[in-house]
Amino acid sequence: MFKTVSAEEALKIVKSNDKIYIQAAAAVPTVLIKALANRHEELRNVTICQLHTEGDAPYANPEYAESFHVNSFFIGKNVRHTLKAGNGSYTPVFLSEVPRLFKQNIIDLDVVLIHVSVPDRHGYCSLGVSVEATLAAIDNAATVIAQVNPQMPRTHGAGIIHHTEIDYFVACDEALPTHDMAEPSAIENKIGDYVANLIEDRSTLQMGIGSIPNAVLSRLTNHKDLGLHTEMFSDGVIDLILNDVINGNYKKINRGRALTTFLMGSKRLYDYVDDNPFVEMRASNYTNNTAYIKQNPKMVAINSAIEVDLTGQVCADSIGASMYSGVGGQMDFIRGASLSDGGKAIIALPSITKYGISRIVPTLKMGAGVVTTRAHTHYVVTEYGVANLYGKTIKERVKSLVEIAHPDHRESLDKAYFEMM
């Protein structure tokens, strides 16, 4: 049905000055990117467009700066160094709008590197654990190169493509990158308690990966009829689904299904989603579309922050002027939950950093990005409680946020804001 070639043979199609998109997260096509990086001596000015990818990114080596430039739509740890080294850039964009960059030819792609399941008897492959902007990239790019892997789960939803849409197949048989669940700390468990208490039965959830989402999920075992409409999920939802806590029965969008655009977790997660029709994968312009999100009643969006100022401005993408991650889908879901009937938009974060610095601050650091504006911020949660800012004046917000700051910083926060005003 299809003929495979070596990665080296397939990547010969890449030319200097090309633009390439790489499938994201745990679906990163590692065999293909290694072969691409190995051509660094021959290539010049190749732009790599990407969201977060797991594992190594050898093309991001500063020594290859003349060969490759990384354009990140969300900055992962493996390419963060490129911004300071000069061989990388960041494009601020909502996750919901990344496909539009390709659909409207704002970014013209020459090549897309993807990672798919083995074609079925009808010739269809699955994009597996990451759809995000890959479908739009496939439609836009002149050449599609696929790493085909029997260990890639075959997921249901929109991430299905026919083998005729692929120009080169490169065979591999390797495990996907895993992201094991960390045990929440005492502080994270307290935050989890507060957030879980805000979630009502028949709510629909959006949350990311990490210890705070895990802490929240572990406290939902007695809830009933929850739904899942999120940009990503990990292992923490599996037992809730198996025990009928998450069943999607009261969602309005994709009722009876868990909706997501990418997955990242353990092998248990990948095995669970394989050929599982309950899990529906869609492109990020669908999962993160505010118009769809808001249709779910009691939509609960749980997101994190680097720091929150006393008026409710949320910085989630930078440390001062230094870019750290990206806008991602936070605003897509904050706005969608805010507009939902009975919805709740939640920012959850520890009150201090590991160095004891307050994460609730009088003003954001110089150069810090405002990902969620003060007008969009509703609930802020720390281990010291919940501040509901919606409909509150600036003075009332200051009071509420000081009350959930770390006790060691409350007086100085109050004083700093008073002196500033």
PDB file of all heavy atoms in Angstrom, residues 9 14 19 25 27 68 80 96 107 122 137 140 149 168 187 200 227 269 279 284 288 310 373 376 378:
ATOM      1  N   GLU A   9      16.957   9.624   3.130  1.00  0.00           N
ATOM      2  CA  GLU A   9      16.440   9.793   1.774  1.00  0.00           C
ATOM      3  C   GLU A   9      15.279  10.791   1.758  1.00  0.00           C
ATOM      4  O   GLU A   9      15.201  11.672   0.904  1.00  0.00           O
ATOM      5  CB  GLU A   9      15.978   8.436   1.222  1.00  0.00           C
ATOM      6  CG  GLU A   9      15.460   8.475  -0.194  1.00  0.00           C
ATOM      7  CD  GLU A   9      16.547   8.756  -1.214  1.00  0.00           C
ATOM      8  OE1 GLU A   9      17.737   8.499  -0.930  1.00  0.00           O
ATOM      9  OE2 GLU A   9      16.195   9.264  -2.302  1.00  0.00           O
ATOM     10  N   VAL A  14      14.336  18.616   1.747  1.00  0.00           N
ATOM     11  CA  VAL A  14      14.476  19.912   2.408  1.00  0.00           C
ATOM     12  C   VAL A  14      15.598  20.710   1.758  1.00  0.00           C
ATOM     13  O   VAL A  14      16.698  20.202   1.543  1.00  0.00           O
ATOM     14  CB  VAL A  14      14.742  19.745   3.914  1.00  0.00           C
ATOM     15  CG1 VAL A  14      14.969  21.097   4.578  1.00  0.00           C
ATOM     16  CG2 VAL A  14      13.591  19.010   4.573  1.00  0.00           C
ATOM     17  N   LYS A  19      10.676  26.458   5.027  1.00  0.00           N
ATOM     18  CA  LYS A  19       9.977  26.530   6.310  1.00  0.00           C
ATOM     19  C   LYS A  19       9.359  25.157   6.590  1.00  0.00           C
ATOM     20  O   LYS A  19       8.692  24.581   5.727  1.00  0.00           O
ATOM     21  CB  LYS A  19       8.889  27.606   6.294  1.00  0.00           C
ATOM     22  CG  LYS A  19       9.403  29.031   6.333  1.00  0.00           C
ATOM     23  CD  LYS A  19       8.240  30.014   6.506  1.00  0.00           C
ATOM     24  CE  LYS A  19       8.744  31.448   6.655  1.00  0.00           C
ATOM     25  NZ  LYS A  19       9.321  31.948   5.395  1.00  0.00           N
ATOM     26  N   ALA A  25       4.411  18.006  20.834  1.00  0.00           N
ATOM     27  CA  ALA A  25       4.292  17.261  22.100  1.00  0.00           C
ATOM     28  C   ALA A  25       4.881  15.857  21.988  1.00  0.00           C
ATOM     29  O   ALA A  25       5.991  15.690  21.502  1.00  0.00           O
ATOM     30  CB  ALA A  25       2.837  17.250  22.563  1.00  0.00           C
ATOM     31  N   ALA A  27       4.066  13.503  20.085  1.00  0.00           N
ATOM     32  CA  ALA A  27       4.065  12.974  18.714  1.00  0.00           C
ATOM     33  C   ALA A  27       5.264  13.474  17.915  1.00  0.00           C
ATOM     34  O   ALA A  27       5.322  13.271  16.704  1.00  0.00           O
ATOM     35  CB  ALA A  27       2.769  13.354  18.004  1.00  0.00           C
ATOM     36  N   PHE A  68      19.694  26.435  10.919  1.00  0.00           N
ATOM     37  CA  PHE A  68      18.312  26.346  11.389  1.00  0.00           C
ATOM     38  C   PHE A  68      17.967  27.517  12.321  1.00  0.00           C
ATOM     39  O   PHE A  68      18.774  27.915  13.157  1.00  0.00           O
ATOM     40  CB  PHE A  68      18.093  25.034  12.162  1.00  0.00           C
ATOM     41  CG  PHE A  68      18.470  23.807  11.396  1.00  0.00           C
ATOM     42  CD1 PHE A  68      19.577  23.044  11.770  1.00  0.00           C
ATOM     43  CD2 PHE A  68      17.724  23.387  10.294  1.00  0.00           C
ATOM     44  CE1 PHE A  68      19.936  21.909  11.069  1.00  0.00           C
ATOM     45  CE2 PHE A  68      18.073  22.251   9.598  1.00  0.00           C
ATOM     46  CZ  PHE A  68      19.187  21.514   9.973  1.00  0.00           C
ATOM     47  N   ARG A  80      14.226  26.698  24.650  1.00  0.00           N
ATOM     48  CA  ARG A  80      14.175  27.995  25.335  1.00  0.00           C
ATOM     49  C   ARG A  80      15.488  28.766  25.182  1.00  0.00           C
ATOM     50  O   ARG A  80      15.500  29.995  25.083  1.00  0.00           O
ATOM     51  CB  ARG A  80      13.837  27.771  26.812  1.00  0.00           C
ATOM     52  CG  ARG A  80      13.406  29.016  27.559  1.00  0.00           C
ATOM     53  CD  ARG A  80      12.846  28.636  28.914  1.00  0.00           C
ATOM     54  NE  ARG A  80      11.569  27.955  28.805  1.00  0.00           N
ATOM     55  CZ  ARG A  80      11.210  26.895  29.521  1.00  0.00           C
ATOM     56  NH1 ARG A  80      12.040  26.387  30.419  1.00  0.00           N
ATOM     57  NH2 ARG A  80      10.026  26.350  29.348  1.00  0.00           N
ATOM     58  N   SER A  96      -5.650  28.453  19.672  1.00  0.00           N
ATOM     59  CA  SER A  96      -6.800  28.328  18.773  1.00  0.00           C
ATOM     60  C   SER A  96      -6.517  28.896  17.389  1.00  0.00           C
ATOM     61  O   SER A  96      -7.181  28.528  16.411  1.00  0.00           O
ATOM     62  CB  SER A  96      -8.021  29.045  19.370  1.00  0.00           C
ATOM     63  OG  SER A  96      -7.748  30.427  19.549  1.00  0.00           O
ATOM     64  N   ILE A 107       1.949  32.062   7.267  1.00  0.00           N
ATOM     65  CA  ILE A 107       3.224  31.340   7.234  1.00  0.00           C
ATOM     66  C   ILE A 107       3.092  30.256   6.173  1.00  0.00           C
ATOM     67  O   ILE A 107       2.259  29.349   6.302  1.00  0.00           O
ATOM     68  CB  ILE A 107       3.571  30.726   8.601  1.00  0.00           C
ATOM     69  CG1 ILE A 107       3.802  31.827   9.636  1.00  0.00           C
ATOM     70  CG2 ILE A 107       4.804  29.823   8.487  1.00  0.00           C
ATOM     71  CD1 ILE A 107       4.101  31.316  11.032  1.00  0.00           C
ATOM     72  N   HIS A 122      -7.919   0.256   5.182  1.00  0.00           N
ATOM     73  CA  HIS A 122      -8.482   1.193   4.219  1.00  0.00           C
ATOM     74  C   HIS A 122      -7.474   2.256   3.790  1.00  0.00           C
ATOM     75  O   HIS A 122      -7.808   3.144   2.997  1.00  0.00           O
ATOM     76  CB  HIS A 122      -9.711   1.881   4.819  1.00  0.00           C
ATOM     77  CG  HIS A 122     -10.772   0.927   5.272  1.00  0.00           C
ATOM     78  ND1 HIS A 122     -11.509   0.159   4.399  1.00  0.00           N
ATOM     79  CD2 HIS A 122     -11.201   0.599   6.519  1.00  0.00           C
ATOM     80  CE1 HIS A 122     -12.362  -0.592   5.071  1.00  0.00           C
ATOM     81  NE2 HIS A 122     -12.192  -0.347   6.367  1.00  0.00           N
ATOM     82  N   ALA A 137      -1.201  22.286   8.759  1.00  0.00           N
ATOM     83  CA  ALA A 137       0.157  22.252   8.203  1.00  0.00           C
ATOM     84  C   ALA A 137       0.236  21.294   7.019  1.00  0.00           C
ATOM     85  O   ALA A 137       0.872  21.591   6.003  1.00  0.00           O
ATOM     86  CB  ALA A 137       1.154  21.858   9.287  1.00  0.00           C
ATOM     87  N   ASN A 140      -1.247  22.859   4.019  1.00  0.00           N
ATOM     88  CA  ASN A 140      -0.502  24.010   3.517  1.00  0.00           C
ATOM     89  C   ASN A 140       0.840  23.635   2.906  1.00  0.00           C
ATOM     90  O   ASN A 140       1.302  24.286   1.964  1.00  0.00           O
ATOM     91  CB  ASN A 140      -0.291  25.009   4.666  1.00  0.00           C
ATOM     92  CG  ASN A 140       0.549  26.208   4.271  1.00  0.00           C
ATOM     93  OD1 ASN A 140       1.764  26.197   4.403  1.00  0.00           O
ATOM     94  ND2 ASN A 140      -0.113  27.242   3.760  1.00  0.00           N
ATOM     95  N   ASN A 149       4.765   4.460  12.773  1.00  0.00           N
ATOM     96  CA  ASN A 149       5.226   3.766  13.965  1.00  0.00           C
ATOM     97  C   ASN A 149       4.115   2.882  14.527  1.00  0.00           C
ATOM     98  O   ASN A 149       3.046   3.382  14.885  1.00  0.00           O
ATOM     99  CB  ASN A 149       5.641   4.827  15.012  1.00  0.00           C
ATOM    100  CG  ASN A 149       6.261   4.237  16.258  1.00  0.00           C
ATOM    101  OD1 ASN A 149       6.398   3.021  16.401  1.00  0.00           O
ATOM    102  ND2 ASN A 149       6.640   5.104  17.187  1.00  0.00           N
ATOM    103  N   TYR A 168       6.278  10.899   1.764  1.00  0.00           N
ATOM    104  CA  TYR A 168       7.345   9.960   2.127  1.00  0.00           C
ATOM    105  C   TYR A 168       7.003   9.297   3.458  1.00  0.00           C
ATOM    106  O   TYR A 168       6.617   9.980   4.412  1.00  0.00           O
ATOM    107  CB  TYR A 168       8.698  10.676   2.270  1.00  0.00           C
ATOM    108  CG  TYR A 168       9.216  11.290   0.990  1.00  0.00           C
ATOM    109  CD1 TYR A 168       8.949  12.621   0.694  1.00  0.00           C
ATOM    110  CD2 TYR A 168       9.978  10.543   0.095  1.00  0.00           C
ATOM    111  CE1 TYR A 168       9.417  13.210  -0.470  1.00  0.00           C
ATOM    112  CE2 TYR A 168      10.465  11.113  -1.080  1.00  0.00           C
ATOM    113  CZ  TYR A 168      10.176  12.445  -1.358  1.00  0.00           C
ATOM    114  OH  TYR A 168      10.645  13.013  -2.512  1.00  0.00           O
ATOM    115  N   ILE A 187       1.535  21.842  49.507  1.00  0.00           N
ATOM    116  CA  ILE A 187       0.965  23.106  49.022  1.00  0.00           C
ATOM    117  C   ILE A 187       0.038  22.848  47.845  1.00  0.00           C
ATOM    118  O   ILE A 187      -1.076  23.381  47.772  1.00  0.00           O
ATOM    119  CB  ILE A 187       2.085  24.088  48.644  1.00  0.00           C
ATOM    120  CG1 ILE A 187       2.773  24.625  49.903  1.00  0.00           C
ATOM    121  CG2 ILE A 187       1.559  25.247  47.798  1.00  0.00           C
ATOM    122  CD1 ILE A 187       3.991  25.479  49.637  1.00  0.00           C
ATOM    123  N   GLU A 200     -18.580  21.858  40.493  1.00  0.00           N
ATOM    124  CA  GLU A 200     -19.877  21.251  40.776  1.00  0.00           C
ATOM    125  C   GLU A 200     -20.072  19.993  39.928  1.00  0.00           C
ATOM    126  O   GLU A 200     -19.402  19.809  38.902  1.00  0.00           O
ATOM    127  CB  GLU A 200     -20.999  22.238  40.452  1.00  0.00           C
ATOM    128  CG  GLU A 200     -20.907  23.579  41.156  1.00  0.00           C
ATOM    129  CD  GLU A 200     -21.933  24.556  40.610  1.00  0.00           C
ATOM    130  OE1 GLU A 200     -23.138  24.316  40.825  1.00  0.00           O
ATOM    131  OE2 GLU A 200     -21.529  25.530  39.970  1.00  0.00           O
ATOM    132  N   GLY A 227     -17.606  16.401  32.563  1.00  0.00           N
ATOM    133  CA  GLY A 227     -17.196  16.321  31.168  1.00  0.00           C
ATOM    134  C   GLY A 227     -15.755  16.777  31.015  1.00  0.00           C
ATOM    135  O   GLY A 227     -15.170  17.369  31.919  1.00  0.00           O
ATOM    136  N   LEU A 269      -1.474   5.779  29.527  1.00  0.00           N
ATOM    137  CA  LEU A 269      -2.345   6.712  28.823  1.00  0.00           C
ATOM    138  C   LEU A 269      -2.409   6.379  27.345  1.00  0.00           C
ATOM    139  O   LEU A 269      -3.500   6.335  26.749  1.00  0.00           O
ATOM    140  CB  LEU A 269      -1.846   8.146  29.012  1.00  0.00           C
ATOM    141  CG  LEU A 269      -2.624   9.217  28.252  1.00  0.00           C
ATOM    142  CD1 LEU A 269      -4.020   9.396  28.850  1.00  0.00           C
ATOM    143  CD2 LEU A 269      -1.877  10.538  28.238  1.00  0.00           C
ATOM    144  N   VAL A 279     -12.426   8.966  23.487  1.00  0.00           N
ATOM    145  CA  VAL A 279     -11.473  10.080  23.382  1.00  0.00           C
ATOM    146  C   VAL A 279     -11.484  10.589  21.943  1.00  0.00           C
ATOM    147  O   VAL A 279     -11.186   9.853  21.009  1.00  0.00           O
ATOM    148  CB  VAL A 279     -10.056   9.639  23.783  1.00  0.00           C
ATOM    149  CG1 VAL A 279      -9.064  10.789  23.611  1.00  0.00           C
ATOM    150  CG2 VAL A 279     -10.046   9.124  25.216  1.00  0.00           C
ATOM    151  N   SER A 284      -6.750  22.293  17.106  1.00  0.00           N
ATOM    152  CA  SER A 284      -6.854  23.286  18.180  1.00  0.00           C
ATOM    153  C   SER A 284      -7.788  24.429  17.838  1.00  0.00           C
ATOM    154  O   SER A 284      -8.280  25.113  18.740  1.00  0.00           O
ATOM    155  CB  SER A 284      -5.465  23.829  18.536  1.00  0.00           C
ATOM    156  OG  SER A 284      -4.870  24.489  17.430  1.00  0.00           O
ATOM    157  N   ASN A 288     -10.144  24.663  21.071  1.00  0.00           N
ATOM    158  CA  ASN A 288      -9.882  25.931  21.761  1.00  0.00           C
ATOM    159  C   ASN A 288     -10.743  27.076  21.252  1.00  0.00           C
ATOM    160  O   ASN A 288     -10.480  28.239  21.572  1.00  0.00           O
ATOM    161  CB  ASN A 288      -8.404  26.307  21.635  1.00  0.00           C
ATOM    162  CG  ASN A 288      -7.500  25.428  22.472  1.00  0.00           C
ATOM    163  OD1 ASN A 288      -7.597  24.215  22.426  1.00  0.00           O
ATOM    164  ND2 ASN A 288      -6.627  26.030  23.239  1.00  0.00           N
ATOM    165  N   LEU A 310      -1.876  42.767  41.868  1.00  0.00           N
ATOM    166  CA  LEU A 310      -2.967  42.989  42.817  1.00  0.00           C
ATOM    167  C   LEU A 310      -4.247  43.517  42.168  1.00  0.00           C
ATOM    168  O   LEU A 310      -5.280  43.602  42.819  1.00  0.00           O
ATOM    169  CB  LEU A 310      -2.509  43.957  43.921  1.00  0.00           C
ATOM    170  CG  LEU A 310      -1.514  43.361  44.915  1.00  0.00           C
ATOM    171  CD1 LEU A 310      -0.997  44.429  45.883  1.00  0.00           C
ATOM    172  CD2 LEU A 310      -2.129  42.200  45.692  1.00  0.00           C
ATOM    173  N   THR A 373      -6.029  39.409  31.020  1.00  0.00           N
ATOM    174  CA  THR A 373      -6.189  40.774  31.516  1.00  0.00           C
ATOM    175  C   THR A 373      -6.964  40.776  32.832  1.00  0.00           C
ATOM    176  O   THR A 373      -7.632  39.809  33.185  1.00  0.00           O
ATOM    177  CB  THR A 373      -6.928  41.660  30.504  1.00  0.00           C
ATOM    178  OG1 THR A 373      -8.324  41.327  30.516  1.00  0.00           O
ATOM    179  CG2 THR A 373      -6.379  41.490  29.096  1.00  0.00           C
ATOM    180  N   HIS A 376     -10.545  39.849  32.511  1.00  0.00           N
ATOM    181  CA  HIS A 376     -10.873  38.445  32.248  1.00  0.00           C
ATOM    182  C   HIS A 376     -10.693  37.560  33.477  1.00  0.00           C
ATOM    183  O   HIS A 376     -11.206  36.444  33.513  1.00  0.00           O
ATOM    184  CB  HIS A 376      -9.984  37.894  31.133  1.00  0.00           C
ATOM    185  CG  HIS A 376     -10.306  38.433  29.775  1.00  0.00           C
ATOM    186  ND1 HIS A 376      -9.496  39.336  29.123  1.00  0.00           N
ATOM    187  CD2 HIS A 376     -11.356  38.211  28.954  1.00  0.00           C
ATOM    188  CE1 HIS A 376     -10.028  39.634  27.943  1.00  0.00           C
ATOM    189  NE2 HIS A 376     -11.162  38.971  27.818  1.00  0.00           N
ATOM    190  N   HIS A 378     -11.219  35.884  36.882  1.00  0.00           N
ATOM    191  CA  HIS A 378     -12.314  35.678  37.830  1.00  0.00           C
ATOM    192  C   HIS A 378     -11.775  35.115  39.142  1.00  0.00           C
ATOM    193  O   HIS A 378     -11.578  35.839  40.098  1.00  0.00           O
ATOM    194  CB  HIS A 378     -13.368  34.747  37.230  1.00  0.00           C
ATOM    195  CG  HIS A 378     -14.209  35.408  36.188  1.00  0.00           C
ATOM    196  ND1 HIS A 378     -15.410  34.906  35.756  1.00  0.00           N
ATOM    197  CD2 HIS A 378     -14.010  36.547  35.471  1.00  0.00           C
ATOM    198  CE1 HIS A 378     -15.928  35.695  34.831  1.00  0.00           C
ATOM    199  NE2 HIS A 378     -15.088  36.690  34.637  1.00  0.00           N
TER     200      HIS A 378
END
